[in-house]
Amino acid sequence: MILDQNDFAFPMASHPNILVGPFKQVIPFDNLPLKGALKDEQLTIIENGGVVIENGSIVAVGKYYELRIKYPMADIEFVDQPSVLLPGLIDAHTHICFAGSRAQDYNLKLQGKTYLEIAREGGGIWRSVQHTRKATEKNLTFDVLQRIARHLSEGVTTIEIKSGYGLTVEDELKMLRAIKAASLQTKATLIPTCLAAHTLPKDFQGTHADYLLWMANELLPKIKADVLSNRVDIFVEETAFSIKDAKKYLQIAKDLGFAITVHADQFTPGSASLAASMGAVSADHLEASQDDDIAALAASNTVAMVLPGASLGLGIPFAPARKLLNAGCCLAIASDWNPGSAPMGDLLIQASLLGVYEKLSFAETFAGLTYRAAKALSLTDRGSITAGKLAHMVAFPINDHREILYHQGKMKPFKVWA
């Protein structure tokens, strides 16, 4: 389905309230726990529902015709086809600010090379760094806006975007400025994250610890001063940074007032436990997480974020989402959209496939794309269709919410409110 700007609903009204509907079903994702397994029977399903909006926020949710009586002066935004309304999707882990292609790396994967082997041979993240350093801020802004527009058309109304393909002070700032510029030109909400600790750049003369200290002393204060991000991420892995070095860097970031998150347990275990112990808002990837890592996450307030797009792109097993939920974790699902390991970037397809393999209920899958993903970004103003939340919503052209996952992500929304 090709959508243009006129297909998106960004309501403006002459009266204070707008009544949107009717919908065959409204699934608000209200009154659900933040952690642990969910059954579909726990979902609230409002048949023939509607939503009242004022100035971009939700005022009321309920039966459409009851809302018409209660709000007789509301403008009507009539939905003229049977549809199911859900909260806007939240992609809490992407790398969509980049230049160039990694098709060469992907071809090497098809020939049997592993992610780590490609990285050691000069491909991987470093290839994207070389392309991104050459790009102008204006070009990066243009490219990221194209990716945002696609995500928005597919129902993703909030998008986290990382830096991490610059790996110098100026190039990291360039990326974050491009993300900020894009945020002023889209209806989606963008959440920037500094991932200068993505890998050790090949042209840096010094140790991993030296590089992290340089970023901590020279880059992070500038990001704070220019209000470019309030989040710091680090990739803990054999080809990136050790747990020991990561702990020092993350503590400096915390002391500067940044929220922290960790690329954890993608190929080797142990760093999810670090994330939990340091109070990270999320530990992302988790494909290699072991029982002790899972237990540490379950005992913490750190969101366990799984990235099925990386598993699909690399041909490796999915993160143990079922095990994480059963242990009592707060599970979020994100795309990891990036030029290397997860180039597809279709959040709904990825979540649908993850659900089949990991036996996730509809409630668990969409909780991981909505209110639980909001927690991973420290956002309390979205993720459910409830009074007081932002009117970030998506409507699918179906009669029954179960059709969405049945079509394995190919069923896309026909209307998006952001």
Side-chain angles (χ1 to χ4, degrees), residues 13 15 52 66 154 164 166 185 189 198 254 316 327 334 354 374 405 408:
H15 296 102
V52 178
E66 292 177 2
E154 294 173 351
Q185 302 174 59
T189 300
H198 204 175
K254 283 186 70 174
I316 62 175
L354 174 73
L405 295 182
Q408 297 184 308

Side-chain angles (χ1 to χ4, degrees), residues 66-344:
E66 292 177 2
L67 292 173
R68 286 203 69 170
I69 294 169
K70 187 174 181 180
Y71 296 90
M73 297 300 293
D75 283 354
I76 303 298
E77 184 178 333
F78 186 71
V79 178
D80 59 0
Q81 72 177 91
S83 54
V84 172
L85 188 71
L86 295 176
L89 306 184
I90 297 170
D91 193 347
H93 182 126
T94 83
H95 303 254
I96 61 173
C97 184
F98 65 87
S101 168
R102 298 250 289 277
Q104 181 178 345
D105 289 358
Y106 196 83
N107 193 56
L108 292 173
K109 290 173 202 164
L110 299 179
Q111 296 173 36
K113 293 277 189 179
T114 69
Y115 179 93
L116 297 178
E117 287 172 337
I118 294 168
R120 291 191 199 101
E121 293 171 11
I125 294 167
W126 183 243
R127 196 182 305 280
S128 290
V129 169
Q130 292 172 295
H131 288 302
T132 304
R133 284 182 179 179
K134 293 175 184 176
T136 65
E137 182 181 322
K138 183 177 180 180
N139 287 340
L140 288 175
T141 301
F142 178 84
D143 289 347
V144 77
L145 281 168
Q146 307 312 301
R147 298 171 191 127
I148 291 165
R150 199 195 85 181
H151 239 10
L152 189 58
S153 75
E154 294 173 351
V156 183
T157 58
T158 301
I159 309 166
E160 186 263 11
I161 308 177
K162 302 180 189 296
S163 65
Y165 294 126
L167 308 188
T168 68
V169 172
E170 285 308 313
D171 287 303
E172 288 292 304
L173 291 172
K174 177 180 71 175
M175 291 188 71
L176 291 168
R177 285 194 298 263
I179 296 166
K180 186 171 185 176
S183 73
L184 303 176
Q185 302 174 59
T186 177
K187 296 293 184 179
T189 300
L190 308 186
I191 307 296
T193 300
C194 173
L195 181 58
H198 204 175
T199 192
L200 182 70
K202 292 184 180 296
D203 56 359
F204 181 76
Q205 303 298 313
T207 66
H208 288 72
D210 293 336
Y211 173 76
L212 291 177
L213 190 60
W214 178 43
M215 290 292 110
N217 290 337
E218 300 298 326
L219 175 63
L220 298 189
K222 288 184 172 67
I223 291 172
K224 271 289 182 185
D226 294 344
V227 196
L228 294 174
S229 174
N230 65 356
R231 292 165 42 90
V232 165
D233 195 353
I234 187 168
F235 188 15
V236 181
E237 193 48 71
E238 179 186 331
T239 56
F241 299 98
S242 70
I243 289 176
K244 179 182 177 182
D245 288 342
K247 187 173 183 178
K248 293 178 182 177
Y249 177 71
L250 291 172
Q251 189 58 57
I252 294 172
K254 283 186 70 174
D255 292 343
L256 287 170
F258 289 95
I260 59 170
T261 183
V262 181
H263 275 58
D265 295 2
Q266 184 173 11
F267 303 109
T268 52
S271 48
S273 296
L274 169 72
S277 70
M278 295 198 68
V281 290
S282 68
D284 306 12
H285 274 296
L286 310 180
E287 294 91 341
S289 293
Q290 301 300 302
D291 288 348
D292 54 346
D293 299 300
I294 294 171
L297 289 172
S300 74
N301 290 318
T302 298
V303 175
M305 192 180 304
V306 297
L307 309 175
S311 296
L312 293 168
L314 294 172
I316 62 175
F318 290 115
R322 179 77 270 150
K323 202 169 183 180
L324 288 159
L325 283 166
N326 288 348
C329 293
C330 177
L331 184 88
I333 303 169
S335 73
D336 196 24
W337 188 356
N338 72 70
S341 60
M344 180 217 295

